[in-house]
Short mmCIF file of all heavy atoms in Angstrom, two decimals:
data_model
loop_
_atom_site.label_atom_id
_atom_site.label_comp_id
_atom_site.label_asym_id
_atom_site.label_seq_id
_atom_site.Cartn_x
_atom_site.Cartn_y
_atom_site.Cartn_z
N PRO A 1 4.36 -19.40 5.36
CA PRO A 1 5.17 -19.48 4.14
C PRO A 1 6.61 -19.04 4.39
O PRO A 1 6.86 -18.16 5.22
CB PRO A 1 4.46 -18.54 3.17
CG PRO A 1 3.08 -18.34 3.73
CD PRO A 1 3.24 -18.44 5.21
N ALA A 2 7.53 -19.64 3.66
CA ALA A 2 8.94 -19.37 3.88
C ALA A 2 9.31 -17.96 3.43
O ALA A 2 8.74 -17.44 2.47
CB ALA A 2 9.78 -20.39 3.12
N PRO A 3 10.29 -17.32 4.12
CA PRO A 3 10.76 -16.00 3.69
C PRO A 3 11.40 -16.09 2.30
O PRO A 3 11.92 -17.14 1.91
CB PRO A 3 11.80 -15.63 4.76
CG PRO A 3 11.50 -16.51 5.92
CD PRO A 3 10.94 -17.77 5.36
N ASP A 4 11.36 -14.99 1.56
CA ASP A 4 12.00 -14.97 0.26
C ASP A 4 12.60 -13.60 -0.02
O ASP A 4 12.20 -12.59 0.57
CB ASP A 4 11.04 -15.37 -0.86
CG ASP A 4 9.83 -14.43 -0.95
OD1 ASP A 4 9.63 -13.65 -0.01
OD2 ASP A 4 9.09 -14.51 -1.94
N VAL A 5 13.61 -13.58 -0.90
CA VAL A 5 14.32 -12.36 -1.29
C VAL A 5 14.46 -12.39 -2.81
O VAL A 5 14.79 -13.43 -3.39
CB VAL A 5 15.72 -12.28 -0.64
CG1 VAL A 5 16.40 -10.96 -1.03
CG2 VAL A 5 15.62 -12.41 0.86
N PHE A 6 14.22 -11.27 -3.45
CA PHE A 6 14.38 -11.21 -4.91
C PHE A 6 14.74 -9.79 -5.33
O PHE A 6 14.51 -8.81 -4.60
CB PHE A 6 13.10 -11.66 -5.62
CG PHE A 6 11.86 -10.89 -5.24
CD1 PHE A 6 11.50 -9.72 -5.89
CD2 PHE A 6 11.06 -11.35 -4.19
CE1 PHE A 6 10.37 -9.03 -5.53
CE2 PHE A 6 9.91 -10.65 -3.82
CZ PHE A 6 9.57 -9.49 -4.50
N VAL A 7 15.34 -9.69 -6.51
CA VAL A 7 15.69 -8.38 -7.10
C VAL A 7 14.41 -7.76 -7.64
O VAL A 7 13.70 -8.37 -8.45
CB VAL A 7 16.73 -8.54 -8.22
CG1 VAL A 7 16.98 -7.20 -8.90
CG2 VAL A 7 18.03 -9.12 -7.67
N SER A 8 14.13 -6.55 -7.19
CA SER A 8 12.88 -5.90 -7.59
C SER A 8 13.08 -4.70 -8.50
O SER A 8 12.14 -4.28 -9.18
CB SER A 8 12.10 -5.45 -6.34
OG SER A 8 12.90 -4.66 -5.49
N ASN A 9 14.31 -4.15 -8.56
CA ASN A 9 14.51 -2.98 -9.43
C ASN A 9 16.00 -2.73 -9.64
O ASN A 9 16.81 -2.95 -8.73
CB ASN A 9 13.86 -1.74 -8.81
CG ASN A 9 13.92 -0.53 -9.72
OD1 ASN A 9 13.62 -0.64 -10.89
ND2 ASN A 9 14.31 0.61 -9.17
N TYR A 10 16.32 -2.26 -10.83
CA TYR A 10 17.69 -1.82 -11.15
C TYR A 10 17.69 -0.30 -11.22
O TYR A 10 17.10 0.29 -12.14
CB TYR A 10 18.17 -2.42 -12.47
CG TYR A 10 18.42 -3.91 -12.42
CD1 TYR A 10 17.46 -4.81 -12.84
CD2 TYR A 10 19.62 -4.40 -11.93
CE1 TYR A 10 17.68 -6.18 -12.78
CE2 TYR A 10 19.85 -5.77 -11.86
CZ TYR A 10 18.88 -6.65 -12.29
OH TYR A 10 19.10 -8.01 -12.23
N GLY A 11 18.31 0.33 -10.22
CA GLY A 11 18.36 1.78 -10.19
C GLY A 11 19.55 2.35 -10.92
O GLY A 11 20.36 1.62 -11.51
N SER A 12 19.69 3.66 -10.87
CA SER A 12 20.79 4.32 -11.58
C SER A 12 22.14 4.03 -10.93
O SER A 12 23.17 4.00 -11.61
CB SER A 12 20.55 5.84 -11.61
OG SER A 12 20.42 6.35 -10.29
N SER A 13 22.14 3.79 -9.62
CA SER A 13 23.41 3.55 -8.94
C SER A 13 23.36 2.38 -7.96
O SER A 13 24.30 2.15 -7.21
CB SER A 13 23.86 4.81 -8.19
OG SER A 13 22.88 5.19 -7.23
N SER A 14 22.24 1.63 -7.96
CA SER A 14 22.10 0.52 -7.01
C SER A 14 21.05 -0.46 -7.50
O SER A 14 20.25 -0.15 -8.39
CB SER A 14 21.73 1.03 -5.62
OG SER A 14 20.45 1.68 -5.67
N ILE A 15 21.07 -1.62 -6.90
CA ILE A 15 20.06 -2.65 -7.17
C ILE A 15 19.14 -2.74 -5.95
O ILE A 15 19.61 -2.81 -4.81
CB ILE A 15 20.71 -4.02 -7.44
CG1 ILE A 15 21.64 -3.94 -8.65
CG2 ILE A 15 19.64 -5.09 -7.66
CD1 ILE A 15 22.39 -5.23 -8.91
N GLU A 16 17.85 -2.75 -6.21
CA GLU A 16 16.88 -2.84 -5.11
C GLU A 16 16.48 -4.30 -4.90
O GLU A 16 16.11 -5.00 -5.85
CB GLU A 16 15.64 -2.01 -5.40
CG GLU A 16 14.61 -2.03 -4.27
CD GLU A 16 13.35 -1.28 -4.61
OE1 GLU A 16 12.49 -1.85 -5.32
OE2 GLU A 16 13.22 -0.12 -4.18
N TYR A 17 16.52 -4.73 -3.64
CA TYR A 17 16.10 -6.08 -3.26
C TYR A 17 14.86 -5.97 -2.36
O TYR A 17 14.77 -5.07 -1.51
CB TYR A 17 17.20 -6.82 -2.51
CG TYR A 17 18.41 -7.13 -3.35
CD1 TYR A 17 19.40 -6.17 -3.58
CD2 TYR A 17 18.59 -8.39 -3.93
CE1 TYR A 17 20.52 -6.45 -4.35
CE2 TYR A 17 19.71 -8.69 -4.70
CZ TYR A 17 20.66 -7.72 -4.91
OH TYR A 17 21.77 -7.99 -5.67
N THR A 18 13.93 -6.88 -2.53
CA THR A 18 12.72 -6.94 -1.70
C THR A 18 12.79 -8.17 -0.81
O THR A 18 12.99 -9.29 -1.30
CB THR A 18 11.45 -6.98 -2.56
OG1 THR A 18 11.37 -5.79 -3.34
CG2 THR A 18 10.21 -7.07 -1.67
N VAL A 19 12.64 -7.94 0.49
CA VAL A 19 12.69 -9.02 1.47
C VAL A 19 11.28 -9.21 2.03
O VAL A 19 10.66 -8.25 2.50
CB VAL A 19 13.67 -8.69 2.62
CG1 VAL A 19 13.81 -9.87 3.57
CG2 VAL A 19 15.01 -8.26 2.07
N ARG A 20 10.79 -10.44 2.00
CA ARG A 20 9.43 -10.71 2.47
C ARG A 20 9.42 -11.89 3.44
O ARG A 20 10.11 -12.89 3.23
CB ARG A 20 8.50 -11.03 1.29
CG ARG A 20 8.43 -9.93 0.24
CD ARG A 20 7.37 -10.21 -0.79
NE ARG A 20 7.48 -11.51 -1.42
CZ ARG A 20 6.71 -11.93 -2.43
NH1 ARG A 20 5.77 -11.13 -2.91
NH2 ARG A 20 6.88 -13.13 -2.96
N CYS A 21 8.66 -11.74 4.49
CA CYS A 21 8.44 -12.83 5.44
C CYS A 21 7.08 -12.64 6.09
O CYS A 21 6.44 -11.60 5.91
CB CYS A 21 9.56 -12.87 6.50
SG CYS A 21 9.65 -11.39 7.54
N TRP A 22 6.64 -13.64 6.84
CA TRP A 22 5.31 -13.60 7.45
C TRP A 22 5.42 -13.67 8.97
O TRP A 22 6.32 -14.29 9.50
CB TRP A 22 4.46 -14.77 6.95
CG TRP A 22 4.12 -14.67 5.49
CD1 TRP A 22 4.88 -15.10 4.45
CD2 TRP A 22 2.93 -14.13 4.93
NE1 TRP A 22 4.24 -14.85 3.26
CE2 TRP A 22 3.03 -14.27 3.52
CE3 TRP A 22 1.78 -13.54 5.46
CZ2 TRP A 22 2.04 -13.83 2.65
CZ3 TRP A 22 0.78 -13.12 4.60
CH2 TRP A 22 0.92 -13.26 3.21
N THR A 23 4.46 -13.03 9.62
CA THR A 23 4.38 -13.07 11.08
C THR A 23 2.92 -12.96 11.49
O THR A 23 2.04 -12.72 10.65
CB THR A 23 5.19 -11.91 11.69
OG1 THR A 23 5.22 -12.05 13.12
CG2 THR A 23 4.58 -10.56 11.35
N LYS A 24 2.64 -13.15 12.77
CA LYS A 24 1.28 -12.98 13.26
C LYS A 24 0.93 -11.48 13.28
O LYS A 24 1.81 -10.64 13.46
CB LYS A 24 1.14 -13.56 14.67
CG LYS A 24 1.30 -15.08 14.71
CD LYS A 24 1.13 -15.60 16.13
CE LYS A 24 1.27 -17.12 16.17
NZ LYS A 24 1.12 -17.64 17.54
N PRO A 25 -0.35 -11.14 13.09
CA PRO A 25 -0.73 -9.73 13.04
C PRO A 25 -0.30 -8.93 14.26
O PRO A 25 0.14 -7.78 14.14
CB PRO A 25 -2.27 -9.78 12.93
CG PRO A 25 -2.54 -11.09 12.29
CD PRO A 25 -1.50 -12.04 12.82
N GLU A 26 -0.39 -9.54 15.44
CA GLU A 26 -0.02 -8.79 16.65
C GLU A 26 1.49 -8.58 16.78
O GLU A 26 1.94 -7.74 17.57
CB GLU A 26 -0.55 -9.51 17.89
CG GLU A 26 -0.02 -10.93 18.10
CD GLU A 26 -0.89 -11.99 17.46
OE1 GLU A 26 -1.66 -11.64 16.52
OE2 GLU A 26 -0.82 -13.16 17.88
N ASP A 27 2.30 -9.33 16.02
CA ASP A 27 3.76 -9.20 16.07
C ASP A 27 4.32 -8.39 14.91
O ASP A 27 5.53 -8.30 14.74
CB ASP A 27 4.42 -10.59 16.06
CG ASP A 27 4.00 -11.43 17.26
OD1 ASP A 27 3.79 -10.85 18.34
OD2 ASP A 27 3.87 -12.67 17.11
N TYR A 28 3.44 -7.82 14.09
CA TYR A 28 3.88 -7.20 12.83
C TYR A 28 4.91 -6.09 13.05
O TYR A 28 5.99 -6.09 12.45
CB TYR A 28 2.67 -6.64 12.07
CG TYR A 28 3.06 -5.85 10.84
CD1 TYR A 28 3.39 -6.49 9.66
CD2 TYR A 28 3.12 -4.45 10.88
CE1 TYR A 28 3.76 -5.78 8.52
CE2 TYR A 28 3.48 -3.73 9.75
CZ TYR A 28 3.80 -4.39 8.58
OH TYR A 28 4.16 -3.67 7.48
N TRP A 29 4.60 -5.14 13.93
CA TRP A 29 5.48 -3.97 14.07
C TRP A 29 6.82 -4.37 14.69
O TRP A 29 7.87 -3.87 14.27
CB TRP A 29 4.79 -2.90 14.92
CG TRP A 29 3.65 -2.25 14.20
CD1 TRP A 29 2.32 -2.38 14.46
CD2 TRP A 29 3.74 -1.40 13.06
NE1 TRP A 29 1.57 -1.68 13.57
CE2 TRP A 29 2.42 -1.04 12.70
CE3 TRP A 29 4.80 -0.89 12.32
CZ2 TRP A 29 2.14 -0.20 11.61
CZ3 TRP A 29 4.52 -0.05 11.24
CH2 TRP A 29 3.21 0.28 10.90
N GLU A 30 6.81 -5.26 15.66
CA GLU A 30 8.07 -5.70 16.28
C GLU A 30 8.95 -6.40 15.24
O GLU A 30 10.17 -6.13 15.16
CB GLU A 30 7.77 -6.64 17.45
CG GLU A 30 9.03 -7.14 18.16
CD GLU A 30 8.73 -8.13 19.26
OE1 GLU A 30 7.54 -8.48 19.44
OE2 GLU A 30 9.69 -8.56 19.95
N THR A 31 8.37 -7.26 14.45
CA THR A 31 9.14 -7.99 13.44
C THR A 31 9.64 -7.06 12.35
O THR A 31 10.80 -7.16 11.92
CB THR A 31 8.27 -9.10 12.81
OG1 THR A 31 7.78 -9.96 13.84
CG2 THR A 31 9.05 -9.90 11.80
N SER A 32 8.79 -6.14 11.91
CA SER A 32 9.18 -5.21 10.84
C SER A 32 10.34 -4.32 11.28
O SER A 32 11.32 -4.14 10.54
CB SER A 32 7.98 -4.36 10.43
OG SER A 32 8.33 -3.43 9.44
N CYS A 33 10.24 -3.77 12.47
CA CYS A 33 11.31 -2.88 12.96
C CYS A 33 12.62 -3.65 13.17
O CYS A 33 13.71 -3.16 12.83
CB CYS A 33 10.87 -2.21 14.26
SG CYS A 33 9.50 -1.05 14.07
N ALA A 34 12.52 -4.86 13.73
CA ALA A 34 13.71 -5.67 13.97
C ALA A 34 14.38 -6.05 12.65
O ALA A 34 15.62 -6.03 12.54
CB ALA A 34 13.35 -6.92 14.76
N LEU A 35 13.59 -6.38 11.64
CA LEU A 35 14.16 -6.74 10.34
C LEU A 35 14.89 -5.56 9.72
O LEU A 35 15.99 -5.73 9.17
CB LEU A 35 13.05 -7.23 9.41
CG LEU A 35 13.48 -7.62 7.99
CD1 LEU A 35 14.55 -8.69 8.03
CD2 LEU A 35 12.27 -8.08 7.18
N ASN A 36 14.32 -4.39 9.80
CA ASN A 36 15.00 -3.20 9.26
C ASN A 36 16.34 -2.96 9.95
O ASN A 36 17.33 -2.59 9.31
CB ASN A 36 14.10 -1.96 9.42
CG ASN A 36 13.12 -1.81 8.27
OD1 ASN A 36 13.51 -1.91 7.10
ND2 ASN A 36 11.87 -1.57 8.58
#
């Protein structure tokens, strides 16, 4: 499935965005750390 980004929360001083994408289970940690 294609990656997606959306507004998930309006905070007191910022807007929170949620970024989602998919990877293979064995690549999860590498992809997650690289994305951060």
